[in-house]
Every structure is written in structure tokens, then in C-alpha cells.
Amino acid sequence: MEADDLASADDLWWSWAVLADAGLLPEGATSELDTDEHVMHYRLGDSWASMQRISGGRAVIWGRVAEATTDAVTARIDVLAGAPDWASSDAVWRSIRVTRPGFLAWYSRDGWDTSTTGMFDGVVDLLAPLLRADPPARRRRAAPGRGRCRTGRA
């Protein structure tokens, strides 16, 4: 698996948010949103991922899969090497210095790209449960007067 096997940044972000808000994450998983930095965090067992939305439809995702046989940490790769300047925001930079992620990818109009090619073993499996919601379909079904979101958000 590689970074381009991931769903689009929009699909991943909104499905993740819907499932977290509705309490429908996998058993034992946790998620939180840092509203100041626009970063969503996800943890399942010893594996974790963080994703930041950036203006212009761009995003960065980074994390670590506990069962990965090869990742950026074991291969001693700088996950930001070759990344565009916008992918190393303050939030990403601070997190990377503390957490030592095993993968990092960035999303722009052309799709996902990465400096950690070959390091995505298990990443798609980690993130797949976050793609069970279909936010565009949910918005179509939530016509005025047909339902309410308990948080007040659509």
C-alpha cells in the first residue's frame, strides 16, 4: 500500500469527523479535534494518526502503525524531506519532533504524495474504519425538517 491508496483528504476528514461525533469509531478507538490547529487525532491501540486541513483543499496526515514492519522511524528517514513548505506547518512540526511518526503524506489537487514511500504498511487498514460514513450522502438525506444533528452542526 502507498499514499495514493488513501481516500481523498475531503472524504477522509469528513467521514472521520462524522463517525467521531456520532460515537461510531471502532471499539477502543479515540479521536479528538484540536480546533486551534485544525488537527484531528485518532488512536487505536498503539497505532495513531493525525490529520491537518490546510487552506486551498490541502491536507497533511502523519502517524504510526504499531505493527508496521518498516516505517520512517526504523528506516531513519526524515518524514519532511521533500515535502512542500506548506506541509510542515507549526502543528505538524511540533508533533513530529515529539511523536516520531512512521509515515507522513500530503494532499493537494493532484492527490496524495509522500516522502515515506514504502512505509505505508498497515496505514490503509488503520484508516479504513474512518471511511464508513458517507458525508455527501448524509447531507443529501438531511433535508430541512428531516432530522437533527445532536451537536447542532449539519
Side-chain angles (χ1 to χ4, degrees):
M1 299 282 178
E2 289 300 325
D4 56 2
D5 293 321
L6 297 171
S8 75
D10 281 342
D11 287 349
L12 179 56
W13 179 271
W14 292 112
S15 181
W16 182 344
V18 166
L19 293 170
D21 185 58
L24 298 174
L25 294 172
E27 187 173 330
T30 60
S31 185
E32 61 185 69
L33 173 64
D34 178 337
T35 56
D36 293 333
E37 301 281 0
H38 304 282
V39 177
M40 212 162 349
H41 304 281
Y42 172 68
R43 180 169 293 279
L44 181 61
D46 292 331
S47 298
W48 60 273
S50 295
M51 182 175 176
Q52 182 179 39
R53 295 291 305 263
I54 300 171
S55 66
R58 298 175 292 186
V60 181
I61 191 165
W62 67 99
R64 191 145 192 208
V65 176
E67 301 82 26
T69 55
T70 303
D71 66 13
V73 174
T74 60
R76 298 179 185 262
I77 294 174
D78 176 4
V79 296
L80 287 173
D85 289 341
W86 57 262
S88 59
S89 69
D90 289 344
V92 172
W93 180 251
R94 278 192 307 274
S95 177
I96 286 172
R97 292 185 62 134
V98 172
T99 60
R100 299 183 52 201
F103 68 89
L104 180 134
W106 55 90
Y107 186 88
S108 65
R109 282 177 244 117
D110 299 327
W112 289 103
D113 202 353
T114 185
S115 58
T116 55
T117 301
M119 311 288 167
F120 278 78
D121 182 31
V123 174
V124 172
D125 292 336
L126 172 65
L127 299 176
L130 299 176
L131 287 163
R132 293 179 292 133
D134 183 0
R138 179 182 163 136
R139 284 193 297 272
R140 285 190 300 271
R141 286 192 306 267
R146 290 189 54 202
R148 266 187 294 164
C149 180
R150 64 184 165 97
T151 62
R153 295 186 302 261

